[in-house]
Amino acid sequence: MKIAMIGTGYVGLVSGTCFAESGNDVICVDKDEKKIEDLKQGIIPIYEPGLEGLVKRNVEEERLSFTTSLEDAVEKSLLLFIAVGTPPGEDGSADLQHVIAVARGIGKCMKEYKIIVDKSTVPVGTGNKVREAIQEELDKRGEKIQFDVVSNPEFLKEGNAIDDFMKPDRVVIGCEDVRTGEIMKELYSPFVRTGKPILIMDVASAEMTKYAANAMLATKISFMNDIANLCEKLGVDISQVRQGIGSDSRIGYSFIFPGAGYGGSCFPKDVQALVRTGGENGYKLEILEAVEAVNYRQKRVLFNKIQKRFPDLKGKTIAVWGLAFKPNTDDMREAPSIVIIENLIDAGAKVVAYDPEAVNEARKIFGDKITYGKKSYEVLDGADALVIVTEWNEFRRPDLDRIKSLLKNPIIIDGRNLFEPKKMQALGFDYEGIGRK
Ligand SMILES: NC(=O)c1ccc[n+]([C@@H]2O[C@H](COP(=O)([O-])OP(=O)(O)OC[C@H]3O[C@@H](n4cnc5c(N)ncnc54)[C@H](O)[C@@H]3O)[C@@H](O)[C@H]2O)c1
């Protein structure tokens, strides 16, 4: 099939590349000229395991190309995916300006029947807004051209995006037209050969499915963080509790690790947007308001644990392992590390940070307000304490003797519960995780 992927960010680049990998002809469009120029030269703008090789292969086999020309991509494609950002507006609702700008752009240049597929995460009713925007542009041109609007929310996880896209748990397609549904099913059939479902529903239900899924996952995280904080007060070990509840098949093990609070480009903004949608429709989503409040507090828990040890942080040096909001990505949007580091800087501490992939992103946020290490152990030298924020694999089994010899004080505050507290204490560390005994 001929596909235009409009918006070549995390979702657009991964989805476009995976569609090309299954044999489709894909043109990725972006308004960011530098990004497109880099991609044409084989420079991948994000860190995502496996992506670079896949992009290279599909470009070489001429199934994947990059352009800034929307008009060109629209002309050559039947399926026009919208995969632009939907960041939070000032009031927390999803800002649809990029989605609508693309819809207008399509309406201005389409010359024949097209299927417009919204892959961005958008509130209920956006499908209609996209349809109206395209129709308005067609009317201005006096053109009578048929088109269909489909919702196809994306569920990939950064850090595992290719696998998630290639082997999704399910594909959700919101569409009103049977023939369009069949085309979408055909497009996705190579990805669901193991029998995972393609769920066809109406557009509004598909739009809501994406928000409900993210809100549920965020709820699991905040729930566990809340329980972990109580465990700490009661001298109970959250990891034993986690196993105790995860083994219940109605609950399950995934997404119940306590931590430093959820971040990333999706959960924070999507929970906010859903709360806002509730408000606009006279319904208070009380659970989700609490999920947000708990997450706000959780992002400050690691800093509080440091401050307990150093009531006066002026002149102290704190080493930070992990800046990305989660491992295997360089994405720092809404990362807990930002809150921790900002608090440390405000309190007068010097921060020396290391992350295997996210240093360039971190520089855009902190500039030279903090120091960046090239290696994990380098940042420990002479530091007063180590804070672990992201659970990269390389932090899971480090040389603890070496850490102890490098730190000025053997203090580790672990936001990801990587080690056994008793073992760490026996080794002479002042070690504290989240909700551990
Ligand atoms: N990142 C994720 O893990 C993830 C997962 C599922 C869903 N989503 C959703 O997918 C959407 C995209 O997210 P993302 O993380 O890929 O965003 P992103 O910020 O990484 O990428 C968006 C891209 O769209 C481009 N763009 C903006 N306006 C444009 C226009 N008018 N024409 C062409 N290009 C334009 C930007 O330059 C940017 O490259 C969002 O709605 C997000 O909520 C994201």
Side-chain angles (χ1 to χ4, degrees), residues 6-11 30-32 35 83-86 98 102 120-121 154 156 158 210 265-266 269 333:
I6 306 157
T8 309
Y10 227 109
V11 165
D30 207 285
K31 64 177 185 181
D32 181 337
K35 188 180 270 190
V84 295
T86 45
H98 303 299
V102 172
S120 298
T121 302
E154 181 50 54
L156 63 78
E158 293 185 11
K210 175 64 191 175
S265 68
C266 293
K269 81 169 172 63
R333 289 178 278 188

Side-chain angles (χ1 to χ4, degrees), residues 5-13 29-33 35 45-46 67-68 70 82-87 97-103 118-122 153-159 161 210-211 214 264-266 269-270 325-326 331 333:
M5 188 60 68
I6 306 157
T8 309
Y10 227 109
V11 165
L13 184 57
V29 188
D30 207 285
K31 64 177 185 181
D32 181 337
E33 287 174 13
K35 188 180 270 190
I46 49 169
T67 182
T68 52
L70 178 66
I82 304 180
V84 295
T86 45
Q97 61 165 310
H98 303 299
V99 172
I100 299 302
V102 172
D118 181 23
K119 201 166 238 332
S120 298
T121 302
V122 291
E154 181 50 54
F155 298 94
L156 63 78
K157 298 184 289 298
E158 293 185 11
K210 175 64 191 175
Y211 280 102
N214 275 359
S265 68
C266 293
K269 81 169 172 63
D270 293 349
F325 86 94
K326 68 172 180 176
D331 200 335
R333 289 178 278 188

Side-chain angles (χ1 to χ4, degrees), residues 57-353:
R57 180 163 73 228
N58 283 284
V59 168
E60 275 167 12
E61 293 180 9
E62 296 179 359
R63 287 190 299 259
L64 181 63
S65 60
F66 303 99
T67 182
T68 52
S69 168
L70 178 66
E71 196 173 344
D72 190 39
V74 168
E75 192 183 333
K76 291 181 178 145
S77 314
L78 168 67
L79 289 161
L80 313 178
F81 279 81
I82 304 180
V84 295
T86 45
E90 272 171 27
D91 59 1
S93 62
D95 180 350
L96 294 177
Q97 61 165 310
H98 303 299
V99 172
I100 299 302
V102 172
R104 290 204 174 280
I106 292 170
K108 278 184 183 141
C109 65
M110 67 188 256
K111 297 193 179 93
E112 58 191 347
Y113 174 77
K114 303 285 172 190
I115 301 173
I116 294 88
V117 188
D118 181 23
K119 201 166 238 332
S120 298
T121 302
V122 291
V124 171
T126 305
N128 289 337
K129 290 185 180 158
V130 166
R131 194 188 315 276
E132 283 161 19
I134 295 172
Q135 192 57 55
E136 270 175 36
E137 294 301 327
L138 289 175
D139 292 346
K140 278 188 209 162
R141 289 164 51 206
E143 293 279 7
K144 286 199 172 14
I145 303 171
Q146 297 287 310
F147 64 95
D148 279 304
V149 175
V150 173
S151 166
N152 170 220
E154 181 50 54
F155 298 94
L156 63 78
K157 298 184 289 298
E158 293 185 11
N160 199 47
I162 291 169
D163 227 36
D164 286 347
F165 196 92
M166 294 291 202
K167 292 179 233 154
D169 287 337
R170 80 313 208 173
V171 175
V172 170
I173 292 165
C175 78
E176 319 291 343
D177 176 75
V178 178
R179 197 178 52 136
T180 314
E182 288 306 316
I183 293 172
M184 291 299 292
K185 270 191 189 170
E186 196 187 321
L187 175 69
Y188 273 104
S189 59
F191 304 104
V192 292
R193 288 164 61 96
T194 52
K196 292 290 167 67
I198 296 180
L199 304 167
I200 305 275
M201 54 183 79
D202 60 82
V203 171
S205 301
E207 290 169 340
M208 182 53 122
T209 298
K210 175 64 191 175
Y211 280 102
N214 275 359
M216 171 66 90
L217 294 171
T219 301
K220 282 183 102 172
I221 295 173
S222 274
F223 173 84
M224 276 314 271
N225 284 334
D226 223 15
I227 297 289
N229 294 338
L230 180 62
C231 283
E232 251 172 44
K233 292 201 180 293
L234 299 173
V236 172
D237 186 350
I238 189 70
S239 17
Q240 295 184 35
V241 175
R242 182 178 59 78
Q243 290 176 23
I245 65 170
S247 50
D248 184 328
S249 60
R250 293 169 303 177
I251 297 172
Y253 286 106
S254 56
F255 269 80
I256 57 168
F257 280 94
Y262 61 76
S265 68
C266 293
F267 290 177
K269 81 169 172 63
D270 293 349
V271 170
Q272 248 182 52
L274 195 50
V275 167
R276 183 76 200 169
T277 299
E280 282 164 6
N281 290 278
Y283 189 77
K284 195 168 159 59
L285 285 160
E286 294 190 33
I287 291 177
L288 293 184
E289 285 181 0
V291 164
E292 272 199 299
V294 168
N295 197 54
Y296 179 89
R297 193 174 60 197
Q298 198 66 17
K299 283 184 166 176
R300 282 141 188 93
V301 158
L302 294 183
F303 174 74
N304 293 341
K305 287 177 192 282
I306 302 165
Q307 208 174 33
K308 207 169 77 191
R309 269 120 185 130
F310 302 106
D312 183 7
L313 273 157
K314 274 196 201 73
K316 300 288 176 209
T317 301
I318 307 297
V320 173
W321 273 6
L323 295 164
F325 86 94
K326 68 172 180 176
N328 294 324
T329 178
D330 59 354
D331 200 335
M332 282 199 60
R333 289 178 278 188
E334 304 273 343
S337 65
I338 299 175
V339 175
I340 296 156
I341 291 172
E342 276 173 354
N343 280 325
L344 285 168
I345 295 171
D346 288 350
K350 182 171 176 266
V351 176
V352 230

